[in-house]
Amino acid sequence: SGEPPAAGSLVAQIRVATEAAAPSFRALLGDQALMPQQAMRQLDFVERQVNLVMVHLADPNGNKYRKLKLSGVRDKVREKPGHAEALLKAAGFVLAQSADFLEWPEGEGGNHGALASSLAVLALVARIRKRVEKAGMRSLCEPLDASIEIRDLAHLRYGDVSLLESQVARGSQKVGAVSGALVPRAFLEARLPQVAAALEDM
């Protein structure tokens, strides 16, 4: 596959998450009731919410970014919000018992499954965005290549900076109104060591 040996199990985990997320992406992109711009707005919304979780993973006060009221989602996404809800669930969010909000289940010891799911969704959104930038909105109706590799994670961006911190990019960064470290390397080493190791081989 060309991936570093340390990345093997991670790639398998990411690929499982990608396969699980792909149907929700295809349902959104193939919905003839939505304009391409509306579909992209949903992807923008999902990407921002997941990025906010990622950026604040190591933040003691980051819990507020891991909960989304369903009423708030439906207020932000007026056209067929079920697609956005499905993509958020694909990114690791789960419906609370009260059924009125979605929660990213980061608990004591971490949640590797949710983290892999979030990275898979972000990588797919980035792929779609790159395709649109190159070929225009009409490319949304083209088949979605859902194969994700380590290099796709290494290229993830939030604003103008890398989302995942590598050895050569240590330190806190700021993105717009969001301040703090972007998924610190120490966090990656503790939760997904294969990612931290693989980023050094990019």
Side-chain angles (χ1 to χ4, degrees):
S1 65
E3 297 295 346
S9 62
L10 170 73
V11 170
Q13 192 176 24
I14 293 293
R15 284 174 179 162
V16 168
T18 302
E19 290 173 4
S24 296
F25 276 91
R26 291 180 178 125
L28 169 64
L29 300 179
D31 192 333
Q32 298 298 312
L34 291 175
M35 298 288 289
Q37 292 83 355
Q38 293 173 325
M40 280 305 301
R41 280 199 292 270
Q42 293 214 26
L43 291 178
D44 290 343
F45 172 78
V46 170
E47 181 183 45
R48 174 167 175 75
Q49 297 307 316
V50 177
N51 270 328
L52 285 172
V53 172
M54 295 293 98
V55 169
H56 292 91
L57 280 175
D59 182 356
N61 300 314
N63 286 337
K64 63 183 179 179
Y65 298 104
R66 299 172 195 146
K67 292 185 178 181
L68 293 173
K69 289 185 178 180
L70 282 176
S71 60
V73 173
R74 293 164 186 170
D75 183 58
K76 294 287 186 180
V77 181
R78 296 299 182 90
E79 308 92 0
K80 307 192 74 169
H83 288 303
E85 293 171 26
L87 288 174
L88 287 168
K89 290 175 183 176
F93 283 86
V94 295
L95 187 64
Q97 289 186 346
S98 61
D100 62 350
F101 66 90
L102 294 168
E103 183 174 17
W104 199 87
E106 169 65 14
E108 189 66 30
N111 188 313
H112 294 197
L115 187 53
S117 296
S118 289
L119 293 175
V121 165
L122 289 176
L124 285 177
V125 172
R127 175 167 295 171
I128 294 167
R129 187 183 303 285
K130 184 176 181 180
R131 191 169 69 181
V132 168
E133 290 173 354
K134 182 178 180 180
M137 287 291 186
R138 66 181 183 278
S139 66
L140 288 179
C141 62
E142 297 175 0
L144 174 64
D145 177 7
S147 59
I148 296 298
E149 306 291 346
I150 288 292
R151 61 178 174 270
D152 296 300
L153 306 183
H155 294 156
L156 287 176
R157 311 282 295 177
Y158 185 26
D160 294 327
V161 297
S162 296
L163 178 66
L164 305 182
E165 183 183 45
S166 67
Q167 182 73 28
V168 296
R170 285 180 180 267
S172 295
Q173 306 175 66
K174 286 190 175 182
V175 182
V178 179
S179 62
L182 303 185
V183 192
R185 180 176 172 79
F187 188 93
L188 284 178
E189 290 174 340
R191 305 299 176 87
L192 284 179
Q194 296 99 337
V195 172
L199 285 177
E200 304 313 316
D201 297 320
M202 289 296 102

